Amino acid sequence: MPKGTTKRRPVTRAALLEAALAVFAEHGFQAATIEQVCTRAGYTRGAFYSNFGSKEELFLALFDQHSQEILDRLSELADALPAGDFTLAEFAGRIARIDPAERDWYLVSTEFTLLAIRDPQAGWVLARHDARLRAELARGLTAQLERVGLRLTVDAEELARLLIAIREGGLAQSYVEPDVLPPGELERRFLGTILGAVTEAAGPAAS
């Protein structure tokens, strides 16, 4: 493969992902076409198929990209809170922040989730991407709590399931009634209490 093609590939892929999110949010995942994504990105179908095998594969790449962005942002927000100033309420407030651009992703991911519920094969694939996200979220949450001398009294990945359910359920209500329930409000109000109920002071390490 020519070196120029190799160097261009990440740029092409990023442009296709950006275009896909916009097109999927505007038209819906199932109604959107690969041609629309290519036109929005300014690339040919050949460029698309050199990066992705299908529209579903494109969505899953978006899923993984979005998951990593969320994990990185949560880590940065939590790390910026000095251990001496750490409280569960402050920690909850920081990780409850919702980027305004999240609405587009919510529309796209919700539609694909409905597809995955109807289609066992799509459900099987999505479940594995979900599992990787939960595992990373569980590890990050455990590390942040350990940093301030706390440990979980429940399974970290089960807690991650609950936190994702609260986030996604809260956003569904917020996007329907934004004036009544601003995005992230449920987490800000209740996440500190939930974390307080499932954590305890870490004892001294065994010698």
Side-chain angles (χ1 to χ4, degrees):
M1 179 180 293
K3 292 183 178 180
T5 302
T6 303
K7 291 179 179 179
R8 288 196 302 270
R9 188 181 182 101
V11 176
T12 304
R13 184 179 176 87
L16 288 167
L17 287 169
E18 182 179 355
L21 180 58
V23 170
F24 292 166
E26 181 178 346
H27 299 284
F29 173 78
Q30 290 186 292
T33 66
I34 291 173
E35 188 64 37
Q36 288 171 321
V37 172
C38 293
T39 299
R40 181 71 65 95
Y43 287 99
T44 64
R45 290 177 68 90
F48 176 90
Y49 283 112
S50 71
N51 286 273
F52 304 102
S54 65
K55 192 168 65 169
E56 289 74 17
E57 185 178 320
L58 175 60
F59 168 81
L60 293 169
L62 272 173
F63 182 99
D64 291 341
Q65 175 179 277
H66 180 265
S67 296
Q68 192 58 55
E69 289 171 354
I70 290 293
L71 291 167
D72 290 345
R73 185 159 67 245
L74 293 180
S75 179
E76 290 170 6
L77 290 170
D79 288 344
L81 180 62
D85 297 332
F86 185 98
T87 66
L88 290 176
E90 178 64 24
F91 179 60
R94 286 177 177 249
I95 64 177
R97 296 176 187 175
I98 305 295
D99 190 292
E102 185 72 12
R103 184 177 182 276
D104 282 354
W105 172 248
Y106 187 83
L107 292 172
V108 176
S109 61
T110 299
E111 184 180 357
F112 194 89
T113 299
L114 293 175
L115 171 65
I117 292 171
R118 296 187 183 99
D119 181 344
Q121 177 61 28
W124 183 87
V125 174
L126 181 59
R128 274 136 190 83
H129 287 258
D130 280 333
R132 288 199 291 271
L133 171 59
R134 284 195 306 274
E136 290 299 323
L137 180 58
R139 278 193 286 271
L141 179 60
T142 299
Q144 288 295 336
L145 293 172
E146 288 178 348
R147 182 169 70 93
V148 295
L150 296 173
R151 66 184 174 199
L152 289 170
T153 59
V154 297
D155 181 80
E157 290 199 27
E158 288 189 357
L159 178 59
R161 277 190 185 273
L162 175 62
L163 298 183
I164 291 171
I166 292 172
R167 180 185 180 89
E168 293 182 350
L171 285 176
Q173 297 177 63
S174 294
Y175 291 141
V176 172
E177 298 183 283
D179 295 333
V180 176
L181 185 70
E185 183 63 23
L186 288 180
E187 293 98 317
R188 281 190 289 272
R189 290 173 59 186
F190 296 108
L191 185 52
T193 301
I194 292 172
L195 290 175
V198 297
T199 55
E200 64 184 8
S207 57

